[in-house]
Amino acid sequence: MIDRETLIAAAKDAVARAYAPYSNFHVGAALGFADGSIVTGANVENASYGLALCAETAAVARAMNDGRRSELVAIAVTGGMKGVLADPVAPCGRCRQVLSELAQLGATDPVVWCVGADDVGEYRLSELLPNAFGPASLL
């Protein structure tokens, strides 16, 4: 099982690897799997703004490229202007959908920790994206 503080620390560490020269909003995400492994990602902006990648999307792409398609049990997301944490950060709508796809592949409903400087919001992914569209929707 994933330890909350370990996963949050991994997300905070990922913030330092963000490439955000346009918004200066640095985000780090950490995905925790049932076997205790952690996959991280940071946001990667692009001069063509629509091509930017959110931290959560980068982490999911990395996990799936490593062959991880199940057992996602926890997610931590954090960030702030120039990497300085302030209010808790939650996944955007696109990231909620991308995270949901990975969770649905393994039939899990991971806990999502939205991390700020002084507090942590805790939700289930299904709370953040109720009635999610996914692989079963296409059958």
Side-chain angles (χ1 to χ4, degrees):
M1 188 58 177
I2 292 295
D3 173 76
R4 175 181 138 151
E5 296 311 312
T6 300
L7 197 65
I8 288 173
K12 288 179 178 178
D13 183 58
V15 169
R17 293 187 299 278
Y19 174 72
Y22 308 107
S23 71
N24 286 314
F25 198 84
H26 297 225
V27 180
L31 309 180
F33 293 86
D35 66 359
S37 63
I38 296 173
V39 176
T40 61
N43 59 321
V44 179
E45 294 182 348
N46 189 282
S48 178
Y49 297 137
L51 300 179
L53 296 174
C54 296
E56 302 90 329
T57 299
V60 167
R62 186 174 175 191
M64 294 194 74
N65 278 303
D66 287 346
R68 296 196 163 276
R69 302 247 179 357
S70 64
E71 299 185 335
L72 176 65
V73 296
I75 301 158
V77 182
T78 192
M81 293 303 291
K82 297 185 180 180
V84 177
L85 306 187
D87 294 330
V89 174
C92 71
R94 176 178 179 238
C95 287
R96 292 174 192 201
Q97 179 62 43
V98 170
L99 291 164
S100 178
E101 176 96 5
L102 180 55
Q104 288 182 49
L105 288 174
T108 63
D109 188 13
V111 63
V112 180
W113 292 305
C114 302
V115 182
D118 299 318
D119 59 11
V120 177
E122 181 173 310
Y123 309 91
R124 286 289 170 179
L125 184 56
S126 62
E127 290 178 83
L128 296 176
L129 188 64
N131 304 311
F133 184 86
S137 302
L138 297 174
L139 299 178

